[in-house]
């Protein structure tokens, strides 16, 4: 067995690295199987996509070590601004960027009075804008609660958020959504116009800053956890940052959840925000369960890096800390997300420490997966906007009930349905972002129905209470060679069936879901 002192060191190393943050423990090396580090340090605008815990923040921090000597970064965590109202949140983000530049003027740009004065002029102008009335609050009061919820792009189909599931949207409802957007922003137009007018002088001062610098030729503006910003404001913030960076030596690096972010929208027929491939290049750091063996290899490499810091060899880690399919089951329970897998590993390691065989097996992971699902549900509720929480919780309840009813951990849904029902597609994508369901495949054929389908797996915690599945439940093991063929025979979730389950869901779906999960754990 692995020496106890080494295990203690391994626990400490992993615990300190679960949340990557500035001023924390030394970051583990970013495992880069696809030239991601080469891309992120390029003088190009990027948006880094990946579910929570997939390494977006680690990528940003690790890449700082690889920047050219004449390039610097300004890092901001957008969670610091999540409760700030629009458009002041934009002013505050810009102020934070330039204050960071001011703080580093001596080290980066040399001690030139002209440079300091230029940056201070920008900060002073931003402070003047911030001091003006934040008129959006008045607009929200006038539009009322309904319009406020409607204005969120989360309400692609407002009926989706009612007690019954009507998957059609009338022209009148579309008009109401559009009206909600317009009313929400009309009061902020004056401040936005002033911000827009400030862009040219800001950029001129930025050019002068770089002209006066003998050391620094470019700066990266890193906006981490962008999805925490008010959703309706995200396109405006992305748009302003993009225009500020254009034609000057500034480049933005945004890290966010793909389906929880709106980087581009239209307002009054005008495009707002940034478009993929046109204004930025995407970087996807997510390793999903679609290619299980690739994800397994990636995660094993990550674990081996941590083990190396604790002086544990890869062979010791593989053979003396796990038994049977314990490691594969850990990946399934974690949904392929590194932070989830590492967190589960620490808990499992503690639980088996007093067993006769202190190695982690399938059952040890199963016992933890239910609690892990409960954490994810709370995380989803905490991060999502109020207007969409009920729909996300109801969908979690409904999909779990469907799979338990059909006795399958995998289900399929028609590609055509997802294309035609924008609200459904949005809902499934959000559940994927929060690791409630896991994507297994796209554009597959089904054994019993015509057409093209997407396949998903419910989280292991949804059926972890079933100790011996037998005839009670059919679990498709996606790590097996014949998994693809079995997935093609998984039950299909039809719109009519989904509507039926949705209508039959209890009124207080959050409480019912919590009670079912607690009962399952007993």
């Amino acid at each position: 067995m692995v020496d106890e002192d080494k295990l203690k060191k391994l626990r400490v190393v992993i615990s300190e690295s679960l949340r990557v943050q500035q001023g924390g423990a030394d970051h583990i090396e970013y495992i880069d199987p696809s030239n991601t580090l080469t891309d992120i340090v390029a003088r190009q605008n990027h948006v880094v996509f990946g579910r929570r815990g997939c390494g977006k923040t680690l990528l940003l921090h690790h890449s700082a070590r690889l920047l050219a000597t004449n390039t610097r970064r300004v890092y901001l965590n957008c969670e610091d601004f999540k409760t700030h109202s629009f458009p002041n949140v934009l002013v505050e983000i810009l102020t934070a960027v330039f204050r960071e530049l001011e703080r580093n003027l001596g080290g980066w740009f040399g001690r030139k009075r002209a440079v300091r004065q230029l940056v201070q002029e920008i900060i002073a102008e931003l402070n003047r804008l911030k001091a003006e009335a934040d008129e959006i609050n008045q607009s929200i009061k006038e539009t009322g609660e309904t319009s406020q919820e409607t204005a969120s792009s989360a309400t692609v189909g407002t009926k989706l958020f009612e007690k019954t599931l009507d998957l059609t949207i009338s022209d009148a409802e579309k008009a109401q959504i559009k009206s909600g957007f317009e009313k929400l922003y009309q009061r902020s137009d004056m401040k936005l116009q002033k911000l827009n007018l400030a862009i040219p002088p800001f950029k001129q001062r930025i050019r002068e800053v770089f002209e006066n610098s003998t050391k620094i030729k470019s700066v990266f503006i890193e906006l981490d956890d962008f999805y925490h910003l008010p959703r309706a404001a995200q396109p405006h913030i992305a748009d302003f940052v993009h225009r500020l960076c254009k034609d000057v030596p500034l480049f933005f690096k945004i890290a966010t959840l793909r389906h929880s972010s709106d980087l581009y929208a239209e307002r009054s027929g005008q495009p707002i925000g940034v478009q993929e491939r046109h204004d930025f290049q995407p970087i996807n750091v997510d390793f999903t369960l679609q290619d299980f063996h690739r994800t397994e290899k990636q995660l094993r490499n990550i674990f081996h890096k941590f083990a190396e810091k604790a002086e544990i060899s890869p062979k010791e880690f593989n053979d003396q800390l796990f038994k049977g399919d314990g490691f594969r089951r850990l990946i399934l329970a974690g949904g392929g997300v590194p932070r989830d897998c590492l967190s589960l590993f620490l808990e499992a390691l503690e639980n088996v420490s007093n067993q006769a065989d202190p190695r982690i097996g399938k059952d040890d992971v199963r016992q933890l997966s239910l609690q892990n699902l409960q954490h994810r549900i709370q995380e989803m509720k905490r991060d999502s906007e109020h207007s969409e929480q009920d729909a996300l919780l109801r969908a979690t309840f409904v999909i779990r009930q469907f799979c338990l009813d059909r006795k399958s951990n995998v289900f399929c849904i028609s590609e055509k349905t997802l294309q035609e029902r924008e609200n459904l597609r949005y809902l499934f994508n959000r559940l994927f972002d929060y690791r409630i369901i896991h994507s297994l495949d796209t554009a597959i054929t089904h054994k019993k129905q015509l057409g093209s389908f997407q396949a998903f797996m419910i989280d292991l915690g949804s059926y972890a209470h079933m100790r011996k599945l037998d005839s009670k439940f059919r679990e498709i093991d996606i790590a097996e060679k014949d998994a693809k063929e079995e997935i093609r025979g998984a039950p299909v979730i039809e719109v009519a069936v989904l509507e039926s389950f949705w209508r039959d869901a209890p009124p207080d779906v959050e409480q019912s879901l919590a009670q079912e999960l607690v009962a399952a754990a007993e």
Side-chain angles (χ1 to χ4, degrees):
M1 291 295 105
V2 177
D3 180 76
E4 184 60 31
D5 288 338
K6 291 183 179 180
L7 283 179
K8 288 180 180 178
K9 188 174 181 180
L10 179 61
R11 290 189 186 98
V12 171
V13 170
I14 293 178
S15 296
E16 290 183 342
S17 300
L18 281 177
R19 291 281 180 179
V20 177
Q21 57 186 18
Q22 297 192 110
D26 291 340
H27 304 142
I28 194 75
E29 179 183 346
Y30 184 82
I31 307 296
D32 184 18
S34 54
N35 297 318
T36 301
L37 284 169
T38 302
D39 294 337
I40 195 68
V41 298
R43 288 188 292 178
Q44 172 64 267
N45 297 325
H46 289 110
V47 176
V48 182
F49 294 113
R51 291 170 294 167
R52 287 190 59 158
C54 282
K56 301 183 296 297
T57 302
L58 177 61
L59 173 63
L60 293 179
H61 287 323
H62 184 82
S63 65
R65 311 174 194 175
L66 308 177
L67 295 179
T69 56
N70 61 359
T71 300
R72 291 294 185 271
R73 67 194 279 258
V74 173
Y75 174 86
L76 295 181
N77 190 323
C78 292
E79 188 172 6
D80 295 340
F81 308 97
K82 67 184 295 184
T83 60
H84 297 196
S85 56
F86 181 77
N88 266 2
V89 63
L90 174 54
V91 180
E92 289 161 352
I93 288 173
L94 293 173
T95 302
V97 167
F98 287 104
R99 285 205 181 281
E100 184 68 11
L101 286 175
E102 182 186 34
R103 188 173 69 84
N104 289 284
L105 283 177
W108 292 3
F109 296 96
R111 299 184 180 280
K112 292 189 176 181
R113 183 178 300 176
V115 173
R116 183 172 298 279
Q117 181 178 347
L118 289 167
V119 174
Q120 289 177 343
E121 286 175 358
I122 295 176
I123 293 173
E125 178 60 26
L126 287 167
N127 285 335
R128 281 193 291 271
L129 285 168
K130 182 180 177 182
E132 295 181 7
D134 193 3
E135 298 175 3
I136 192 64
N137 291 332
Q138 178 65 28
S139 175
I140 290 175
K141 290 179 182 178
E142 291 185 2
T143 57
E145 182 179 351
T146 301
S147 295
Q148 182 184 2
E149 290 186 0
T150 303
S152 169
S153 61
T155 53
V156 174
T158 54
K159 291 292 185 181
L160 185 60
F161 299 90
E162 296 182 359
K163 301 301 181 185
T164 59
L165 181 62
D166 183 351
L167 298 178
T168 60
I169 311 174
S170 67
D171 291 340
E173 288 169 334
K174 291 179 181 178
Q176 183 185 14
I177 294 172
K178 183 177 180 181
S179 173
F181 266 115
E182 294 305 314
K183 293 185 73 175
L184 184 64
Y185 286 112
Q186 64 185 6
R187 290 284 183 164
S188 66
D189 272 348
M190 185 176 295
K191 184 175 286 190
L192 283 173
Q193 288 174 10
K194 290 184 178 180
L195 278 168
N196 288 329
L197 291 173
I199 288 181
F202 281 0
K203 294 178 72 169
Q204 182 55 40
R205 292 189 182 101
I206 291 169
R207 291 189 187 96
E208 292 176 27
V209 167
F210 283 98
E211 288 170 1
N212 280 275
S213 172
T214 57
K215 297 181 179 180
I216 303 304
K217 298 303 179 184
S218 57
V219 171
F220 292 172
I221 299 175
E222 298 180 350
L223 301 179
D224 197 6
D225 289 344
F226 190 80
Y227 64 93
H228 279 302
L229 296 173
R231 183 120 189 195
Q234 290 175 13
H236 284 273
I237 295 170
D239 183 82
F240 198 97
V241 170
H242 173 241
R243 284 187 289 140
L244 184 70
C245 293
K246 196 170 184 179
D247 298 326
V248 295
L250 298 177
F251 301 90
F252 64 80
K253 312 285 181 176
I254 293 174
T256 193
L257 305 179
R258 178 179 284 276
H259 305 298
S260 299
S261 306
D262 282 333
L263 299 175
Y264 180 82
E266 286 194 8
R267 183 181 172 217
S268 302
Q270 295 297 317
I272 299 292
V274 291
Q275 285 185 291
E276 189 169 331
R277 305 290 180 185
H278 295 283
D279 304 316
F280 69 86
Q281 295 302 310
I283 295 178
N284 186 8
V285 299
D286 209 347
F287 280 77
T288 70
L289 300 181
Q290 289 195 22
D291 188 339
F292 180 84
H293 297 290
R294 178 172 178 258
T295 298
E296 179 188 13
K297 181 181 179 181
Q298 169 79 351
L299 283 165
R300 199 176 286 278
N301 286 337
I302 291 173
F303 273 97
H304 287 170
K305 284 292 182 181
F306 280 108
E308 182 182 332
K309 286 182 173 288
E311 301 177 4
I312 298 173
S313 70
K315 181 173 177 54
E316 284 180 301
F317 179 86
N318 296 338
D319 299 341
Q320 297 182 26
L321 294 183
F322 288 92
K323 60 184 177 183
D325 284 335
F327 189 76
R328 284 187 169 183
R329 184 54 54 124
L330 185 74
I331 297 172
L332 287 175
V337 175
R339 187 165 63 215
D340 286 359
C341 294
L342 289 165
S343 181
L344 283 168
F345 169 73
L346 289 180
E347 293 185 64
L349 198 61
E350 182 66 26
N351 290 348
V352 302
S353 60
N354 295 321
Q355 294 180 7
D357 184 355
R359 293 181 297 168
I360 299 170
K362 288 177 61 175
D363 283 345
D364 301 304
V365 176
R366 177 186 62 81
Q367 293 166 6
L368 292 171
S369 59
L370 178 59
Q371 182 181 355
N372 191 51
L373 175 60
Q374 292 170 320
H375 289 324
R376 287 173 176 169
I377 290 171
Q378 289 305 309
E379 181 184 273
M380 177 179 71
K381 183 183 176 186
R382 185 173 60 250
D383 285 353
S384 58
E385 295 185 358
H386 178 74
S387 61
E388 61 187 9
Q389 287 177 5
D390 181 73
L392 292 171
L393 290 167
R394 189 170 295 271
T396 301
F397 181 90
V398 164
I399 291 173
R400 178 176 182 270
Q401 290 298 114
F402 173 83
C403 288
L404 292 178
D405 182 77
R406 299 301 193 270
K407 301 179 180 180
S408 174
N409 67 322
V410 174
F411 67 93
C412 297
I413 185 166
S414 165
E415 293 266 17
K416 182 179 180 182
T417 297
L418 293 176
Q419 291 169 4
E420 294 176 347
R421 313 288 188 177
E422 187 177 2
N423 47 4
L424 256 190
R425 183 173 70 250
Y426 175 84
L427 194 59
F428 275 70
N429 285 336
R430 292 299 302 279
L431 294 182
F432 168 73
D433 266 351
Y434 287 112
R435 297 100 72 217
I436 305 298
I437 60 176
H438 309 289
S439 178
L440 299 184
D441 215 337
T442 58
I444 64 171
T445 58
H446 198 272
K447 292 181 179 180
K448 298 180 180 179
Q449 295 193 29
L450 296 176
S452 182
F453 294 82
Q454 287 191 27
F456 294 91
M457 184 182 80
I458 58 171
D459 188 72
L460 185 62
S462 293
Y463 60 94
H465 59 291
M466 296 182 177
R467 174 63 182 86
K468 292 185 178 180
L469 300 179
D470 298 329
S471 61
K472 298 178 182 177
F473 197 82
R474 175 173 174 251
E475 180 184 38
I476 297 176
D477 187 346
I478 63 171
E480 294 297 325
K481 293 181 179 180
D482 60 350
K484 294 286 186 182
E485 188 66 17
E486 288 194 63
I487 289 171
R488 292 180 56 241
V492 175
I493 189 166
E494 305 279 4
V495 172
V497 175
L498 183 60
E499 288 177 328
S500 175
F501 274 89
W502 192 279
R503 283 192 299 269
D504 292 342
D508 191 342
V509 70
E510 180 181 4
Q511 182 180 356
S512 298
L513 182 61
Q515 289 174 345
E516 286 200 12
L517 292 177
V518 169
E522 296 176 349

